[in-house]
Amino acid sequence: MAVRTAVIPAAGMGTRFLPATRATPKELLPIYDTPALQFVIDEAAQAGCTRVVIVTSRAKPSIESYASAASTDKVAVSVVYQDSPLGLGHAVSCARQVVGDEPFVVMLPDEIMGDASLTKQLVALHEKSGKSSIGLKRVAATEVSSYGNVKVAVYKSDTEDAVEILQVVEKPKPADAVSDIVIIGRYVFSPNIFDKLEQIKPSANGELQLTDALEMLANERALLGVVSEITRYDTGTPMGLLRAVIEIALERKDVGQQLNSWLKEKFNK
Ligand code: UTP
């Protein structure tokens, strides 16, 4: 079945960006002149989605007002609410009624990708296999403990880089890592993810973790992944946001050259 809907969870507290997030939600912090959220809406449209559903909080009215002006002739943008920030798994389940009985993409707006290629690959893998398919990346051993970590096997498919996920471990201690492959913020889900999300229990910090539902799919051998080398900016951390602003501005026709000359001048002193 074709994947036409993208869900963007944007109801978190953004505590790592305080005090900025008292004024502006993390998802609307500008990457030079464009809110992070817009990059993700554009990526959804480029990957063929015609509908974007933003999960937001009533404490972040500027997201709703941004969304109300974000629809284009290619994509219709709407919002649903998560009444309290009970975790990413809970945020995704808040979109259940709007998504309906269809496969859908989940895109984390604090991860900006260089292009839409990974989301397109995941959509293609889902359309071919009928299975939920998630974005993966190899990282240095020292970084594994910041992510969901997966053990994988080769998946027999003509889709490049596709793997079957055998095990999922959330933020393992270095000694407990099962590989150097981690989950990144792009997912294509079959609608049965909503049933899994109903079954999960809150983790130690009281949140409903999406990773726990992924673990259930992996245990049923119902989860695939694509190991990607895509350019990715983790704009959920202050350093990642700075890097995104500089690198994306360097690519821009209007300011790229000026910024490049200024940086050279500054560092050649
Ligand atoms: P994060 O955990 O990175 O966002 O969730 P956060 O909680 O806002 O960040 P910090 O740790 O306090 O700085 C990834 C994405 O999931 C959304 C967030 O808005 C972010 O886009 N999210 C997270 C929700 O929509 N609801 C939640 O309950 C948690």
Side-chain angles (χ1 to χ4, degrees):
M1 191 175 188
V3 179
R4 293 285 166 243
T5 304
V7 172
I8 304 179
M13 311 261 274
T15 50
R16 280 169 289 179
F17 283 96
L18 284 168
T21 43
R22 258 188 239 141
T24 306
K26 175 171 80 170
E27 298 78 9
L28 293 181
L29 290 174
I31 310 297
Y32 177 45
D33 60 1
T34 304
L37 182 62
Q38 186 62 52
F39 280 89
V40 188
I41 295 172
D42 292 345
E43 185 191 321
Q46 283 158 21
C49 294
T50 51
R51 198 161 69 124
V52 167
V53 179
I54 301 170
V55 182
T56 186
S57 147
R58 291 185 205 276
K60 296 162 89 171
S62 49
I63 299 248
E64 183 175 359
S65 98
Y66 192 86
S68 69
S71 296
T72 64
D73 54 349
K74 291 210 174 71
V75 69
V77 180
S78 62
V79 301
V80 295
Y81 289 100
Q82 182 188 27
D83 289 330
S84 40
L86 297 177
L88 182 56
H90 181 257
V92 172
S93 68
C94 291
R96 181 171 200 162
Q97 220 177 347
V98 183
V99 169
D101 196 25
E102 279 184 20
F104 61 103
V105 188
V106 170
M107 309 172 84
L108 301 193
D110 51 6
E111 293 183 38
I112 293 180
M113 304 297 172
D115 55 43
S117 59
L118 172 59
T119 299
K120 285 183 185 164
Q121 275 176 295
L122 295 173
V123 166
L125 182 57
H126 171 82
E127 288 179 356
K128 225 176 254 178
S129 66
K131 292 188 180 186
S132 291
S133 304
I134 65 176
L136 302 171
K137 169 184 157 64
R138 285 184 196 279
V139 296
T142 49
E143 288 178 43
V144 171
S145 56
S146 308
Y147 293 89
N149 178 215
V150 293
K151 186 172 168 183
V152 302
V154 173
Y155 176 67
K156 286 178 189 47
S157 153
D158 51 0
T159 308
E160 265 178 77
D161 304 324
V163 291
E164 183 174 36
I165 298 175
L166 307 177
Q167 194 184 351
V168 180
V169 188
E170 177 66 354
K171 299 192 171 88
K173 292 191 188 118
D176 299 331
V178 290
S179 72
D180 62 348
I181 302 177
V182 300
I183 301 170
I184 57 176
R186 298 294 181 269
Y187 316 75
V188 173
F189 288 122
S190 303
N192 73 346
I193 188 72
F194 292 122
D195 296 330
K196 306 293 178 213
L197 288 169
E198 294 228 319
Q199 292 166 40
I200 61 175
K201 302 268 178 296
S203 66
N205 66 1
E207 293 191 350
L208 291 170
Q209 304 284 0
L210 183 59
T211 319
D212 289 345
L214 297 180
E215 203 178 331
M216 293 170 94
L217 290 177
N219 291 340
E220 293 171 9
R221 295 289 177 271
L223 187 63
L224 303 180
V226 171
V227 183
S228 172
E229 290 181 3
I230 196 165
T231 301
R232 169 181 168 273
Y233 302 104
D234 179 2
T235 56
T237 66
M239 189 57 215
L241 179 71
L242 266 181
R243 199 189 129 209
V245 171
I246 293 170
E247 290 195 18
I248 289 171
L250 280 170
E251 297 293 314
R252 288 269 300 247
K253 284 204 179 74
D254 52 351
V255 285
Q257 261 185 347
Q258 243 179 305
L259 177 61
N260 197 328
S261 311
W262 177 75
L263 285 169
K264 280 192 181 137
E265 199 185 296
K266 186 167 173 55
F267 291 107
N268 284 340
K269 267 185 193 158

